[in-house]
Amino acid sequence: MIPAASLDRRIWLRVGAMLDGAGTRPLHNAHIVYDREQILYAGEDAPPRASLNPDQQAPDCDLEDYTLLPGLIDAHTHLFLEGGELDLDKRATYLEQTPEELLGHARARLEKILRLGVIAMRDAGDKHRVGLALSKQYTSSNHPLMPYVDSPGAAIHHHGRYGSFMAEPMRDCGSPHRCVEGRVNAGADRIKLIATGIINFKKGAVTAAPQMSVPEIRDLVAAAKSFGKQTLAHASGDDGIEHVIEGGVDSVEHGFFIRDDQLEKMRDRQIAWVPTFSPVQEQVDHAGRMGWDEHVVTNLKKILDRHAASLVKAHAMGVQVIAGSDSGSCGVAHGLGLLYELELMERAGLSPLAVINSATGAGSRRLAFKENFGQIKPGYRSRFLLTRHSPLESVTNISKDKIVVFDGGALESGGHFNTDGL
Ligand SMILES: [Zn+2]
């Protein structure tokens, strides 16, 4: 329906509504002009002549019942894992494969993820170098249809503490600086720290002491900065969250049990929050299968309710909230997991527009990606979604049939296609 753009064939669309990824209101009866590489014009006024093909008098398509929004960014994924798999034995067996096999499975997911509307993924770490290989593949000139991927490579943790399936211990490196240097030399786009343990579902709390001290985190962050890299930190439990805030990381990942005063500090210091509801919600959704009794389910629901309340406060306070699914975690399928995460953020009480901005412009502005995407404005890549099901009524409408425009080419994305293996 929508012709493909090339470098000398620009496409001009008029749409009923346009969300630019950052604004506080939709544009109505808006226009977009783009070529294969980038958006040349976006706005409510008719496009200036200079942005159009010579002699073009009218839009290529008039899509008055469509809403246009930026392609989605998933800011927390683990592409080396198969997220949709709930069987814990199968998950363990899966990880016995060679890195090449894990990479092969991850590659097979990429086009499906794109067709679901996710145009970029910030991988959050794996020690099998799957994320690094995909990040490298993306930057090669002849890559297949795939979302942008960047990766920290192996996360950094402490020997004997949580995270050994995706991280390598600090003690292997000699010093925090060498630890960071090794990852940068391996091709890391950013540095991932596992600063705490995870939630003890039976106790309904983070029961282990934080993994990393404030001075350790400061050293790692300083080393990352010396290489021009951002840091993302796995942190749950308010004592560990305090450590990563004081350590000066760029983003707090998960952040379960965060306190209001910590949200204020994050706002003031421009530390982003990626709340990742999905992995915990999946435990509730599949409680029977996971073997959780009523007591545990009550704990999980309480944790999620508190997290939801914090999300609403964070947004109202002006904290930079960025959507990330933690896809690859048990039950969190790639691509689909982000769509579910958005639904959970909406259920928590954010407006659909705020949720969409968290999955588009917020990450685009804060996470120092190597390319411009996630916003609808000139100079940004021509990667966006078109849907007749208004996402401003509910973000769940983004899961319905839509068109994904990726580098100027339009991919139809039916409501139903094979999502096995995600
Ligand atoms: Zn994660």
Side-chain angles (χ1 to χ4, degrees), residues 76-78 80-81 123-125 162 165-166 192 194 232 234 253-254 276 279 325-329:
H76 193 124
T77 71
H78 299 277
F80 77 114
L81 294 167
D123 200 82
Y162 169 75
F165 68 103
M166 62 164 149
K192 169 77 182 285
I194 314 265
L232 59 160
H234 165 112
E253 309 294 307
H254 319 301
T276 71
S325 65
D326 209 1
S327 64
S329 294

Side-chain angles (χ1 to χ4, degrees), residues 40 159 214 216 243 288 323 350:
L40 300 157
H159 176 77
V214 174
E216 270 173 341
H243 287 194
L350 291 199

Side-chain angles (χ1 to χ4, degrees), residues 79 100 102-112 130 133-134 137 144-146:
L79 277 160
E100 291 70 29
L102 294 172
L103 178 58
H105 296 307
R107 284 201 169 116
R109 295 183 185 117
L110 297 171
E111 187 176 332
K112 290 183 181 187
V130 168
L134 296 174
Q137 175 177 332
L145 204 49
M146 66 178 286

Side-chain angles (χ1 to χ4, degrees), residues 22-233:
T24 51
R25 69 168 192 94
L27 305 181
H28 295 288
N29 297 315
H31 301 263
I32 184 167
V33 180
Y34 58 95
D35 65 18
R36 196 179 71 200
E37 288 193 338
Q38 58 175 316
I39 296 166
L40 300 157
Y41 172 79
E44 284 177 337
D45 297 331
R49 278 242 54 91
S51 69
L52 298 169
N53 296 309
D55 305 325
Q56 186 165 6
Q57 304 294 337
D60 291 280
C61 297
D62 212 331
L63 306 169
E64 61 177 355
D65 50 350
Y66 278 78
T67 300
L68 183 151
L69 64 156
L72 306 175
I73 301 168
D74 192 338
H76 193 124
T77 71
H78 299 277
L79 277 160
F80 77 114
L81 294 167
E82 181 178 335
E85 181 58 66
L86 288 161
D87 186 293
L88 296 181
D89 291 334
K90 283 191 187 156
R91 291 183 68 85
T93 312
Y94 185 89
L95 277 178
E96 288 166 10
Q97 297 176 94
T98 65
E100 291 70 29
E101 287 167 330
L102 294 172
L103 178 58
H105 296 307
R107 284 201 169 116
R109 295 183 185 117
L110 297 171
E111 187 176 332
K112 290 183 181 187
I113 292 166
L114 191 61
R115 283 182 188 272
L116 287 165
V118 178
I119 57 101
M121 301 178 108
R122 183 181 67 151
D123 200 82
D126 75 271
K127 64 179 184 185
H128 307 281
R129 318 304 195 251
V130 168
L132 286 180
L134 296 174
S135 167
K136 201 165 166 207
Q137 175 177 332
Y138 178 81
T139 53
S140 73
S141 55
N142 241 341
H143 63 75
L145 204 49
M146 66 178 286
Y148 168 100
V149 177
D150 75 30
S151 166
I156 299 172
H157 82 142
H158 276 307
H159 176 77
R161 296 296 309 271
Y162 169 75
S164 61
F165 68 103
M166 62 164 149
E168 287 171 355
M170 199 131 103
R171 71 169 193 190
D172 291 0
C173 324
S175 74
H177 189 87
R178 285 227 197 100
C179 219
V180 168
E181 187 178 34
R183 275 140 180 97
V184 171
N185 288 342
D189 300 288
R190 48 188 89 240
I191 299 299
K192 169 77 182 285
L193 312 180
I194 314 265
T196 73
I198 50 171
I199 304 169
N200 178 333
F201 293 147
K202 285 187 184 153
K203 298 253 165 69
V206 174
T207 46
Q211 271 196 55
M212 291 183 180
S213 67
V214 174
E216 270 173 341
I217 297 166
R218 280 194 182 138
D219 285 349
L220 290 160
V221 168
K225 278 193 181 144
S226 75
F227 292 102
K229 305 295 181 192
Q230 289 198 353
T231 41
L232 59 160

